[in-house]
Amino acid sequence: MWVITVHSRKNTKMFEFNTEKEAREAFEDIEGNKILTEVIYFNSPYLASSTV
């Protein structure tokens, strides 16, 4: 999951995306102070399979 967090003086908004491509396209269009983050869950099957 990918998250864009947008900060302003009065509030903070978060937008979730399923793919990096979707998130990066939206990131270009969003105005303001923003952060793009990839969320990786500890119990993710992708993470678990890579450590076995």
Side-chain angles (χ1 to χ4, degrees):
M1 175 173 64
W2 291 80
V3 176
I4 297 175
T5 306
V6 183
H7 297 280
S8 69
R9 289 182 179 222
K10 295 186 179 187
N11 61 25
T12 301
K13 294 182 181 180
M14 297 178 79
F15 303 92
E16 294 182 6
F17 301 90
N18 290 323
T19 66
E20 180 180 3
K21 182 181 178 192
E22 291 174 323
R24 290 195 179 274
E25 289 172 356
F27 191 82
E28 295 297 322
D29 296 332
I30 295 174
E31 299 282 329
N33 297 319
K34 56 197 175 192
I35 300 168
L36 176 61
T37 308
E38 181 180 15
V39 177
I40 301 173
Y41 293 101
F42 181 70
N43 61 351
S44 169
Y46 301 110
L47 182 62
S49 66
S50 66
T51 59
V52 174

mmCIF file of all heavy atoms in Angstrom:
data_model
loop_
_atom_site.group_PDB
_atom_site.id
_atom_site.type_symbol
_atom_site.label_atom_id
_atom_site.label_comp_id
_atom_site.label_asym_id
_atom_site.label_seq_id
_atom_site.Cartn_x
_atom_site.Cartn_y
_atom_site.Cartn_z
ATOM 1 N N MET A 1 0.852 -1.161 0.000
ATOM 2 C CA MET A 1 0.000 0.000 0.000
ATOM 3 C C MET A 1 0.906 1.235 0.000
ATOM 4 O O MET A 1 1.972 1.241 0.616
ATOM 5 C CB MET A 1 -0.898 -0.001 1.243
ATOM 6 C CG MET A 1 -1.725 1.263 1.351
ATOM 7 S SD MET A 1 -2.941 1.275 2.670
ATOM 8 C CE MET A 1 -1.935 1.184 4.112
ATOM 9 N N TRP A 2 0.452 2.258 -0.688
ATOM 10 C CA TRP A 2 1.166 3.521 -0.769
ATOM 11 C C TRP A 2 0.289 4.621 -0.199
ATOM 12 O O TRP A 2 -0.919 4.628 -0.418
ATOM 13 C CB TRP A 2 1.522 3.825 -2.215
ATOM 14 C CG TRP A 2 2.557 2.889 -2.734
ATOM 15 C CD1 TRP A 2 2.356 1.619 -3.183
ATOM 16 C CD2 TRP A 2 3.952 3.122 -2.804
ATOM 17 N NE1 TRP A 2 3.548 1.053 -3.544
ATOM 18 C CE2 TRP A 2 4.547 1.958 -3.325
ATOM 19 C CE3 TRP A 2 4.764 4.212 -2.492
ATOM 20 C CZ2 TRP A 2 5.906 1.852 -3.533
ATOM 21 C CZ3 TRP A 2 6.120 4.095 -2.708
ATOM 22 C CH2 TRP A 2 6.682 2.934 -3.220
ATOM 23 N N VAL A 3 0.886 5.547 0.540
ATOM 24 C CA VAL A 3 0.139 6.614 1.195
ATOM 25 C C VAL A 3 0.786 7.952 0.870
ATOM 26 O O VAL A 3 2.009 8.099 0.941
ATOM 27 C CB VAL A 3 0.117 6.417 2.730
ATOM 28 C CG1 VAL A 3 -0.573 7.578 3.425
ATOM 29 C CG2 VAL A 3 -0.551 5.102 3.093
ATOM 30 N N ILE A 4 -0.057 8.925 0.507
ATOM 31 C CA ILE A 4 0.401 10.305 0.372
ATOM 32 C C ILE A 4 -0.172 11.066 1.551
ATOM 33 O O ILE A 4 -1.382 11.062 1.778
ATOM 34 C CB ILE A 4 -0.062 10.946 -0.946
ATOM 35 C CG1 ILE A 4 0.541 10.210 -2.136
ATOM 36 C CG2 ILE A 4 0.318 12.437 -0.977
ATOM 37 C CD1 ILE A 4 0.038 10.706 -3.483
ATOM 38 N N THR A 5 0.695 11.713 2.313
ATOM 39 C CA THR A 5 0.287 12.541 3.440
ATOM 40 C C THR A 5 0.520 13.994 3.042
ATOM 41 O O THR A 5 1.626 14.350 2.620
ATOM 42 C CB THR A 5 1.104 12.211 4.700
ATOM 43 O OG1 THR A 5 1.015 10.808 4.947
ATOM 44 C CG2 THR A 5 0.599 12.980 5.900
ATOM 45 N N VAL A 6 -0.534 14.810 3.170
ATOM 46 C CA VAL A 6 -0.462 16.217 2.799
ATOM 47 C C VAL A 6 -0.658 17.042 4.065
ATOM 48 O O VAL A 6 -1.669 16.893 4.766
ATOM 49 C CB VAL A 6 -1.536 16.580 1.750
ATOM 50 C CG1 VAL A 6 -1.388 18.029 1.324
ATOM 51 C CG2 VAL A 6 -1.462 15.649 0.556
ATOM 52 N N HIS A 7 0.306 17.921 4.353
ATOM 53 C CA HIS A 7 0.244 18.760 5.546
ATOM 54 C C HIS A 7 -0.072 20.194 5.148
ATOM 55 O O HIS A 7 0.495 20.721 4.192
ATOM 56 C CB HIS A 7 1.593 18.759 6.280
ATOM 57 C CG HIS A 7 1.989 17.423 6.795
ATOM 58 N ND1 HIS A 7 1.486 16.907 7.964
ATOM 59 C CD2 HIS A 7 2.824 16.482 6.297
ATOM 60 C CE1 HIS A 7 2.010 15.706 8.163
ATOM 61 N NE2 HIS A 7 2.833 15.435 7.169
ATOM 62 N N SER A 8 -0.969 20.824 5.898
ATOM 63 C CA SER A 8 -1.209 22.259 5.763
ATOM 64 C C SER A 8 -1.257 22.858 7.164
ATOM 65 O O SER A 8 -1.170 22.135 8.156
ATOM 66 C CB SER A 8 -2.529 22.529 5.015
ATOM 67 O OG SER A 8 -3.624 22.147 5.800
ATOM 68 N N ARG A 9 -1.420 24.159 7.252
ATOM 69 C CA ARG A 9 -1.436 24.792 8.570
ATOM 70 C C ARG A 9 -2.611 24.329 9.426
ATOM 71 O O ARG A 9 -2.500 24.238 10.630
ATOM 72 C CB ARG A 9 -1.505 26.309 8.424
ATOM 73 C CG ARG A 9 -0.235 26.890 7.900
ATOM 74 C CD ARG A 9 -0.333 28.382 7.828
ATOM 75 N NE ARG A 9 0.924 28.906 7.334
ATOM 76 C CZ ARG A 9 1.504 29.962 7.830
ATOM 77 N NH1 ARG A 9 0.931 30.638 8.796
ATOM 78 N NH2 ARG A 9 2.648 30.368 7.325
ATOM 79 N N LYS A 10 -3.731 24.032 8.783
ATOM 80 C CA LYS A 10 -4.933 23.714 9.551
ATOM 81 C C LYS A 10 -5.244 22.223 9.659
ATOM 82 O O LYS A 10 -6.001 21.819 10.531
ATOM 83 C CB LYS A 10 -6.132 24.429 8.947
ATOM 84 C CG LYS A 10 -6.007 25.930 9.062
ATOM 85 C CD LYS A 10 -7.246 26.627 8.608
ATOM 86 C CE LYS A 10 -7.058 28.127 8.770
ATOM 87 N NZ LYS A 10 -8.270 28.849 8.491
ATOM 88 N N ASN A 11 -4.713 21.400 8.765
ATOM 89 C CA ASN A 11 -5.047 19.978 8.849
ATOM 90 C C ASN A 11 -4.031 19.105 8.115
ATOM 91 O O ASN A 11 -3.139 19.596 7.454
ATOM 92 C CB ASN A 11 -6.462 19.709 8.321
ATOM 93 C CG ASN A 11 -6.628 20.083 6.863
ATOM 94 O OD1 ASN A 11 -5.681 20.115 6.107
ATOM 95 N ND2 ASN A 11 -7.859 20.363 6.470
ATOM 96 N N THR A 12 -4.236 17.811 8.258
ATOM 97 C CA THR A 12 -3.429 16.812 7.576
ATOM 98 C C THR A 12 -4.379 15.841 6.887
ATOM 99 O O THR A 12 -5.361 15.405 7.478
ATOM 100 C CB THR A 12 -2.553 16.044 8.583
ATOM 101 O OG1 THR A 12 -1.712 16.972 9.246
ATOM 102 C CG2 THR A 12 -1.716 14.998 7.901
ATOM 103 N N LYS A 13 -4.091 15.511 5.633
ATOM 104 C CA LYS A 13 -4.910 14.568 4.881
ATOM 105 C C LYS A 13 -4.035 13.414 4.425
ATOM 106 O O LYS A 13 -2.864 13.609 4.107
ATOM 107 C CB LYS A 13 -5.533 15.236 3.657
ATOM 108 C CG LYS A 13 -6.534 16.306 3.986
ATOM 109 C CD LYS A 13 -7.125 16.881 2.719
ATOM 110 C CE LYS A 13 -8.115 17.982 3.037
ATOM 111 N NZ LYS A 13 -8.699 18.543 1.819
ATOM 112 N N MET A 14 -4.645 12.220 4.371
ATOM 113 C CA MET A 14 -3.923 11.041 3.906
ATOM 114 C C MET A 14 -4.734 10.360 2.807
ATOM 115 O O MET A 14 -5.946 10.203 2.934
ATOM 116 C CB MET A 14 -3.676 10.077 5.060
ATOM 117 C CG MET A 14 -2.801 10.674 6.141
ATOM 118 S SD MET A 14 -2.553 9.565 7.525
ATOM 119 C CE MET A 14 -1.318 8.497 6.816
ATOM 120 N N PHE A 15 -4.037 9.961 1.740
ATOM 121 C CA PHE A 15 -4.662 9.297 0.611
ATOM 122 C C PHE A 15 -3.969 7.956 0.406
ATOM 123 O O PHE A 15 -2.748 7.887 0.361
ATOM 124 C CB PHE A 15 -4.521 10.143 -0.661
ATOM 125 C CG PHE A 15 -5.086 11.527 -0.532
ATOM 126 C CD1 PHE A 15 -4.281 12.580 -0.132
ATOM 127 C CD2 PHE A 15 -6.414 11.773 -0.811
ATOM 128 C CE1 PHE A 15 -4.793 13.862 -0.017
ATOM 129 C CE2 PHE A 15 -6.937 13.047 -0.699
ATOM 130 C CZ PHE A 15 -6.134 14.098 -0.306
ATOM 131 N N GLU A 16 -4.751 6.883 0.276
ATOM 132 C CA GLU A 16 -4.194 5.537 0.115
ATOM 133 C C GLU A 16 -4.313 5.068 -1.332
ATOM 134 O O GLU A 16 -5.312 5.326 -1.997
ATOM 135 C CB GLU A 16 -4.947 4.549 1.006
ATOM 136 C CG GLU A 16 -4.766 4.794 2.471
ATOM 137 C CD GLU A 16 -5.492 3.771 3.326
ATOM 138 O OE1 GLU A 16 -6.056 2.800 2.767
ATOM 139 O OE2 GLU A 16 -5.482 3.927 4.545
ATOM 140 N N PHE A 17 -3.276 4.339 -1.783
ATOM 141 C CA PHE A 17 -3.238 3.803 -3.144
ATOM 142 C C PHE A 17 -2.741 2.370 -3.102
ATOM 143 O O PHE A 17 -1.912 2.017 -2.264
ATOM 144 C CB PHE A 17 -2.305 4.644 -4.028
ATOM 145 C CG PHE A 17 -2.718 6.081 -4.114
ATOM 146 C CD1 PHE A 17 -2.242 7.009 -3.198
ATOM 147 C CD2 PHE A 17 -3.591 6.502 -5.094
ATOM 148 C CE1 PHE A 17 -2.629 8.336 -3.262
ATOM 149 C CE2 PHE A 17 -3.983 7.825 -5.174
ATOM 150 C CZ PHE A 17 -3.507 8.744 -4.256
ATOM 151 N N ASN A 18 -3.227 1.566 -4.026
ATOM 152 C CA ASN A 18 -2.823 0.160 -4.089
ATOM 153 C C ASN A 18 -1.495 -0.042 -4.793
ATOM 154 O O ASN A 18 -0.749 -0.964 -4.463
ATOM 155 C CB ASN A 18 -3.896 -0.677 -4.792
ATOM 156 C CG ASN A 18 -5.142 -0.798 -3.950
ATOM 157 O OD1 ASN A 18 -5.065 -0.905 -2.739
ATOM 158 N ND2 ASN A 18 -6.284 -0.762 -4.596
ATOM 159 N N THR A 19 -1.178 0.812 -5.758
ATOM 160 C CA THR A 19 0.063 0.632 -6.515
ATOM 161 C C THR A 19 0.926 1.883 -6.461
ATOM 162 O O THR A 19 0.432 2.998 -6.261
ATOM 163 C CB THR A 19 -0.224 0.310 -7.997
ATOM 164 O OG1 THR A 19 -0.829 1.447 -8.602
ATOM 165 C CG2 THR A 19 -1.120 -0.905 -8.143
ATOM 166 N N GLU A 20 2.200 1.675 -6.667
ATOM 167 C CA GLU A 20 3.139 2.794 -6.694
ATOM 168 C C GLU A 20 2.831 3.728 -7.862
ATOM 169 O O GLU A 20 2.916 4.954 -7.731
ATOM 170 C CB GLU A 20 4.570 2.271 -6.814
ATOM 171 C CG GLU A 20 5.607 3.368 -6.844
ATOM 172 C CD GLU A 20 7.017 2.840 -6.962
ATOM 173 O OE1 GLU A 20 7.233 1.616 -7.082
ATOM 174 O OE2 GLU A 20 7.938 3.686 -6.935
ATOM 175 N N LYS A 21 2.451 3.165 -8.998
ATOM 176 C CA LYS A 21 2.147 3.976 -10.171
ATOM 177 C C LYS A 21 0.997 4.946 -9.898
ATOM 178 O O LYS A 21 1.098 6.136 -10.213
ATOM 179 C CB LYS A 21 1.802 3.077 -11.361
ATOM 180 C CG LYS A 21 1.517 3.836 -12.618
ATOM 181 C CD LYS A 21 1.163 2.928 -13.768
ATOM 182 C CE LYS A 21 0.854 3.786 -14.986
ATOM 183 N NZ LYS A 21 0.240 3.043 -16.053
ATOM 184 N N GLU A 22 -0.086 4.447 -9.301
ATOM 185 C CA GLU A 22 -1.224 5.305 -8.957
ATOM 186 C C GLU A 22 -0.798 6.425 -8.012
ATOM 187 O O GLU A 22 -1.171 7.585 -8.187
ATOM 188 C CB GLU A 22 -2.325 4.506 -8.257
ATOM 189 C CG GLU A 22 -3.056 3.524 -9.105
ATOM 190 C CD GLU A 22 -4.017 2.687 -8.283
ATOM 191 O OE1 GLU A 22 -3.708 2.327 -7.133
ATOM 192 O OE2 GLU A 22 -5.101 2.407 -8.830
ATOM 193 N N ALA A 23 -0.013 6.068 -7.023
ATOM 194 C CA ALA A 23 0.426 7.035 -6.016
ATOM 195 C C ALA A 23 1.317 8.110 -6.633
ATOM 196 O O ALA A 23 1.152 9.297 -6.360
ATOM 197 C CB ALA A 23 1.152 6.318 -4.887
ATOM 198 N N ARG A 24 2.238 7.715 -7.483
ATOM 199 C CA ARG A 24 3.147 8.692 -8.083
ATOM 200 C C ARG A 24 2.413 9.636 -9.041
ATOM 201 O O ARG A 24 2.741 10.815 -9.122
ATOM 202 C CB ARG A 24 4.297 7.982 -8.788
ATOM 203 C CG ARG A 24 5.243 7.321 -7.800
ATOM 204 C CD ARG A 24 6.553 6.933 -8.436
ATOM 205 N NE ARG A 24 7.434 6.322 -7.461
ATOM 206 C CZ ARG A 24 8.254 6.994 -6.653
ATOM 207 N NH1 ARG A 24 8.280 8.309 -6.701
ATOM 208 N NH2 ARG A 24 9.029 6.353 -5.801
ATOM 209 N N GLU A 25 1.417 9.118 -9.757
ATOM 210 C CA GLU A 25 0.626 9.976 -10.640
ATOM 211 C C GLU A 25 -0.155 11.008 -9.828
ATOM 212 O O GLU A 25 -0.192 12.189 -10.178
ATOM 213 C CB GLU A 25 -0.322 9.137 -11.492
ATOM 214 C CG GLU A 25 0.393 8.338 -12.557
ATOM 215 C CD GLU A 25 -0.505 7.357 -13.286
ATOM 216 O OE1 GLU A 25 -1.707 7.235 -12.920
ATOM 217 O OE2 GLU A 25 -0.012 6.702 -14.226
ATOM 218 N N ALA A 26 -0.766 10.578 -8.738
ATOM 219 C CA ALA A 26 -1.519 11.491 -7.878
ATOM 220 C C ALA A 26 -0.582 12.484 -7.192
ATOM 221 O O ALA A 26 -0.931 13.656 -7.016
ATOM 222 C CB ALA A 26 -2.305 10.707 -6.842
ATOM 223 N N PHE A 27 0.610 12.018 -6.819
ATOM 224 C CA PHE A 27 1.585 12.864 -6.124
ATOM 225 C C PHE A 27 1.914 14.105 -6.943
ATOM 226 O O PHE A 27 2.054 15.195 -6.403
ATOM 227 C CB PHE A 27 2.850 12.051 -5.840
ATOM 228 C CG PHE A 27 3.818 12.721 -4.917
ATOM 229 C CD1 PHE A 27 3.639 12.652 -3.547
ATOM 230 C CD2 PHE A 27 4.921 13.394 -5.412
ATOM 231 C CE1 PHE A 27 4.540 13.257 -2.683
ATOM 232 C CE2 PHE A 27 5.828 14.002 -4.567
ATOM 233 C CZ PHE A 27 5.635 13.936 -3.195
ATOM 234 N N GLU A 28 2.019 13.935 -8.252
ATOM 235 C CA GLU A 28 2.337 15.059 -9.137
ATOM 236 C C GLU A 28 1.226 16.110 -9.142
ATOM 237 O O GLU A 28 1.501 17.295 -9.287
ATOM 238 C CB GLU A 28 2.580 14.555 -10.563
ATOM 239 C CG GLU A 28 3.788 13.660 -10.699
ATOM 240 C CD GLU A 28 5.090 14.377 -10.366
ATOM 241 O OE1 GLU A 28 5.232 15.564 -10.720
ATOM 242 O OE2 GLU A 28 5.954 13.745 -9.742
ATOM 243 N N ASP A 29 -0.022 15.678 -8.978
ATOM 244 C CA ASP A 29 -1.160 16.587 -9.066
ATOM 245 C C ASP A 29 -1.527 17.261 -7.752
ATOM 246 O O ASP A 29 -2.244 18.262 -7.744
ATOM 247 C CB ASP A 29 -2.395 15.835 -9.581
ATOM 248 C CG ASP A 29 -2.199 15.331 -10.999
ATOM 249 O OD1 ASP A 29 -1.421 15.962 -11.746
ATOM 250 O OD2 ASP A 29 -2.807 14.306 -11.351
ATOM 251 N N ILE A 30 -1.061 16.726 -6.641
ATOM 252 C CA ILE A 30 -1.433 17.264 -5.333
ATOM 253 C C ILE A 30 -0.547 18.452 -4.987
ATOM 254 O O ILE A 30 0.674 18.399 -5.117
ATOM 255 C CB ILE A 30 -1.324 16.171 -4.252
ATOM 256 C CG1 ILE A 30 -2.348 15.070 -4.526
ATOM 257 C CG2 ILE A 30 -1.512 16.748 -2.865
ATOM 258 C CD1 ILE A 30 -2.231 13.877 -3.617
ATOM 259 N N GLU A 31 -1.194 19.524 -4.541
ATOM 260 C CA GLU A 31 -0.485 20.746 -4.134
ATOM 261 C C GLU A 31 -0.142 20.685 -2.646
ATOM 262 O O GLU A 31 -0.824 20.042 -1.863
ATOM 263 C CB GLU A 31 -1.389 21.964 -4.379
ATOM 264 C CG GLU A 31 -1.793 22.170 -5.817
ATOM 265 C CD GLU A 31 -0.698 22.794 -6.651
ATOM 266 O OE1 GLU A 31 0.095 23.566 -6.095
ATOM 267 O OE2 GLU A 31 -0.640 22.493 -7.855
ATOM 268 N N GLY A 32 0.911 21.375 -2.256
ATOM 269 C CA GLY A 32 1.247 21.518 -0.843
ATOM 270 C C GLY A 32 2.421 20.665 -0.415
ATOM 271 O O GLY A 32 3.103 20.042 -1.222
ATOM 272 N N ASN A 33 2.632 20.646 0.900
ATOM 273 C CA ASN A 33 3.707 19.848 1.493
ATOM 274 C C ASN A 33 3.229 18.416 1.587
ATOM 275 O O ASN A 33 2.244 18.122 2.255
ATOM 276 C CB ASN A 33 4.046 20.377 2.889
ATOM 277 C CG ASN A 33 4.572 21.785 2.830
ATOM 278 O OD1 ASN A 33 5.352 22.117 1.962
ATOM 279 N ND2 ASN A 33 4.128 22.621 3.748
ATOM 280 N N LYS A 34 3.922 17.515 0.924
ATOM 281 C CA LYS A 34 3.443 16.142 0.817
ATOM 282 C C LYS A 34 4.579 15.151 0.965
ATOM 283 O O LYS A 34 5.733 15.454 0.683
ATOM 284 C CB LYS A 34 2.726 15.946 -0.507
ATOM 285 C CG LYS A 34 3.593 16.314 -1.693
ATOM 286 C CD LYS A 34 2.793 16.512 -2.961
ATOM 287 C CE LYS A 34 3.763 16.988 -4.041
ATOM 288 N NZ LYS A 34 3.104 17.464 -5.211
ATOM 289 N N ILE A 35 4.203 13.952 1.423
ATOM 290 C CA ILE A 35 5.153 12.864 1.617
ATOM 291 C C ILE A 35 4.542 11.606 1.011
ATOM 292 O O ILE A 35 3.386 11.284 1.270
ATOM 293 C CB ILE A 35 5.422 12.619 3.112
ATOM 294 C CG1 ILE A 35 5.990 13.877 3.764
ATOM 295 C CG2 ILE A 35 6.360 11.438 3.310
ATOM 296 C CD1 ILE A 35 6.019 13.820 5.266
ATOM 297 N N LEU A 36 5.327 10.885 0.225
ATOM 298 C CA LEU A 36 4.903 9.607 -0.347
ATOM 299 C C LEU A 36 5.582 8.490 0.431
ATOM 300 O O LEU A 36 6.809 8.479 0.579
ATOM 301 C CB LEU A 36 5.278 9.528 -1.826
ATOM 302 C CG LEU A 36 4.994 8.222 -2.546
ATOM 303 C CD1 LEU A 36 3.507 7.902 -2.529
ATOM 304 C CD2 LEU A 36 5.510 8.279 -3.965
ATOM 305 N N THR A 37 4.775 7.541 0.926
ATOM 306 C CA THR A 37 5.290 6.477 1.779
ATOM 307 C C THR A 37 4.774 5.126 1.314
ATOM 308 O O THR A 37 3.603 4.989 0.978
ATOM 309 C CB THR A 37 4.819 6.698 3.234
ATOM 310 O OG1 THR A 37 5.140 8.017 3.644
ATOM 311 C CG2 THR A 37 5.448 5.696 4.169
ATOM 312 N N GLU A 38 5.651 4.122 1.316
ATOM 313 C CA GLU A 38 5.214 2.751 1.077
ATOM 314 C C GLU A 38 5.011 2.092 2.434
ATOM 315 O O GLU A 38 5.898 2.117 3.291
ATOM 316 C CB GLU A 38 6.250 1.963 0.288
ATOM 317 C CG GLU A 38 5.815 0.545 0.011
ATOM 318 C CD GLU A 38 6.836 -0.260 -0.766
ATOM 319 O OE1 GLU A 38 8.000 0.164 -0.859
ATOM 320 O OE2 GLU A 38 6.469 -1.322 -1.272
ATOM 321 N N VAL A 39 3.845 1.496 2.636
ATOM 322 C CA VAL A 39 3.528 0.830 3.894
ATOM 323 C C VAL A 39 3.718 -0.669 3.687
ATOM 324 O O VAL A 39 3.110 -1.261 2.798
ATOM 325 C CB VAL A 39 2.082 1.128 4.333
ATOM 326 C CG1 VAL A 39 1.737 0.378 5.600
ATOM 327 C CG2 VAL A 39 1.879 2.627 4.512
ATOM 328 N N ILE A 40 4.571 -1.257 4.508
ATOM 329 C CA ILE A 40 4.818 -2.694 4.456
ATOM 330 C C ILE A 40 4.413 -3.273 5.808
ATOM 331 O O ILE A 40 4.948 -2.876 6.837
ATOM 332 C CB ILE A 40 6.301 -3.005 4.173
ATOM 333 C CG1 ILE A 40 6.720 -2.385 2.854
ATOM 334 C CG2 ILE A 40 6.540 -4.506 4.192
ATOM 335 C CD1 ILE A 40 8.182 -2.482 2.555
ATOM 336 N N TYR A 41 3.471 -4.181 5.793
ATOM 337 C CA TYR A 41 2.998 -4.792 7.027
ATOM 338 C C TYR A 41 3.942 -5.909 7.444
ATOM 339 O O TYR A 41 4.428 -6.671 6.610
ATOM 340 C CB TYR A 41 1.587 -5.348 6.833
ATOM 341 C CG TYR A 41 0.573 -4.259 6.608
ATOM 342 C CD1 TYR A 41 0.114 -3.969 5.332
ATOM 343 C CD2 TYR A 41 0.098 -3.510 7.678
ATOM 344 C CE1 TYR A 41 -0.816 -2.965 5.123
ATOM 345 C CE2 TYR A 41 -0.821 -2.504 7.476
ATOM 346 C CZ TYR A 41 -1.281 -2.237 6.200
ATOM 347 O OH TYR A 41 -2.180 -1.238 6.002
ATOM 348 N N PHE A 42 4.182 -6.014 8.728
ATOM 349 C CA PHE A 42 5.096 -7.020 9.264
ATOM 350 C C PHE A 42 4.639 -8.434 8.919
ATOM 351 O O PHE A 42 5.439 -9.295 8.632
ATOM 352 C CB PHE A 42 5.227 -6.869 10.780
ATOM 353 C CG PHE A 42 6.162 -7.853 11.398
ATOM 354 C CD1 PHE A 42 7.526 -7.764 11.184
ATOM 355 C CD2 PHE A 42 5.680 -8.890 12.174
ATOM 356 C CE1 PHE A 42 8.395 -8.680 11.721
ATOM 357 C CE2 PHE A 42 6.551 -9.801 12.728
ATOM 358 C CZ PHE A 42 7.903 -9.703 12.505
ATOM 359 N N ASN A 43 3.325 -8.679 8.902
ATOM 360 C CA ASN A 43 2.823 -10.014 8.622
ATOM 361 C C ASN A 43 2.488 -10.216 7.151
ATOM 362 O O ASN A 43 1.773 -11.120 6.779
ATOM 363 C CB ASN A 43 1.596 -10.329 9.481
ATOM 364 C CG ASN A 43 0.456 -9.365 9.222
ATOM 365 O OD1 ASN A 43 0.623 -8.371 8.531
ATOM 366 N ND2 ASN A 43 -0.701 -9.661 9.783
ATOM 367 N N SER A 44 3.032 -9.376 6.290
ATOM 368 C CA SER A 44 2.807 -9.486 4.858
ATOM 369 C C SER A 44 3.348 -10.814 4.331
ATOM 370 O O SER A 44 4.469 -11.207 4.676
ATOM 371 C CB SER A 44 3.499 -8.331 4.136
ATOM 372 O OG SER A 44 3.505 -8.547 2.755
ATOM 373 N N PRO A 45 2.598 -11.513 3.454
ATOM 374 C CA PRO A 45 3.121 -12.768 2.904
ATOM 375 C C PRO A 45 4.366 -12.545 2.055
ATOM 376 O O PRO A 45 5.223 -13.409 1.968
ATOM 377 C CB PRO A 45 1.963 -13.307 2.059
ATOM 378 C CG PRO A 45 1.012 -12.199 1.898
ATOM 379 C CD PRO A 45 1.259 -11.222 2.999
ATOM 380 N N TYR A 46 4.518 -11.374 1.452
ATOM 381 C CA TYR A 46 5.706 -11.075 0.650
ATOM 382 C C TYR A 46 6.935 -10.959 1.548
ATOM 383 O O TYR A 46 7.994 -11.451 1.229
ATOM 384 C CB TYR A 46 5.510 -9.783 -0.155
ATOM 385 C CG TYR A 46 4.335 -9.863 -1.062
ATOM 386 C CD1 TYR A 46 3.188 -9.125 -0.823
ATOM 387 C CD2 TYR A 46 4.355 -10.687 -2.195
ATOM 388 C CE1 TYR A 46 2.083 -9.202 -1.663
ATOM 389 C CE2 TYR A 46 3.265 -10.778 -3.037
ATOM 390 C CZ TYR A 46 2.141 -10.029 -2.765
ATOM 391 O OH TYR A 46 1.060 -10.116 -3.594
ATOM 392 N N LEU A 47 6.759 -10.309 2.675
ATOM 393 C CA LEU A 47 7.863 -10.154 3.613
ATOM 394 C C LEU A 47 8.204 -11.496 4.238
ATOM 395 O O LEU A 47 9.370 -11.865 4.343
ATOM 396 C CB LEU A 47 7.489 -9.144 4.696
ATOM 397 C CG LEU A 47 8.550 -8.831 5.736
ATOM 398 C CD1 LEU A 47 9.763 -8.211 5.069
ATOM 399 C CD2 LEU A 47 8.006 -7.903 6.796
ATOM 400 N N ALA A 48 7.211 -12.257 4.643
ATOM 401 C CA ALA A 48 7.436 -13.543 5.284
ATOM 402 C C ALA A 48 8.140 -14.523 4.345
ATOM 403 O O ALA A 48 9.038 -15.243 4.766
ATOM 404 C CB ALA A 48 6.123 -14.122 5.775
ATOM 405 N N SER A 49 7.747 -14.544 3.083
ATOM 406 C CA SER A 49 8.350 -15.496 2.159
ATOM 407 C C SER A 49 9.793 -15.135 1.809
ATOM 408 O O SER A 49 10.584 -16.006 1.503
ATOM 409 C CB SER A 49 7.521 -15.613 0.880
ATOM 410 O OG SER A 49 7.546 -14.400 0.166
ATOM 411 N N SER A 50 10.141 -13.864 1.901
ATOM 412 C CA SER A 50 11.509 -13.469 1.551
ATOM 413 C C SER A 50 12.495 -13.758 2.681
ATOM 414 O O SER A 50 13.684 -13.767 2.461
ATOM 415 C CB SER A 50 11.552 -11.983 1.194
ATOM 416 O OG SER A 50 11.251 -11.198 2.320
ATOM 417 N N THR A 51 11.978 -13.996 3.902
ATOM 418 C CA THR A 51 12.877 -14.243 5.023
ATOM 419 C C THR A 51 13.029 -15.722 5.349
ATOM 420 O O THR A 51 13.772 -16.083 6.220
ATOM 421 C CB THR A 51 12.370 -13.516 6.289
ATOM 422 O OG1 THR A 51 11.059 -13.982 6.595
ATOM 423 C CG2 THR A 51 12.378 -12.010 6.088
ATOM 424 N N VAL A 52 12.322 -16.577 4.614
ATOM 425 C CA VAL A 52 12.370 -18.024 4.899
ATOM 426 C C VAL A 52 13.496 -18.656 4.133
ATOM 427 O O VAL A 52 13.852 -18.331 3.085
ATOM 428 C CB VAL A 52 11.023 -18.690 4.542
ATOM 429 C CG1 VAL A 52 11.119 -20.191 4.693
ATOM 430 C CG2 VAL A 52 9.948 -18.120 5.413
#
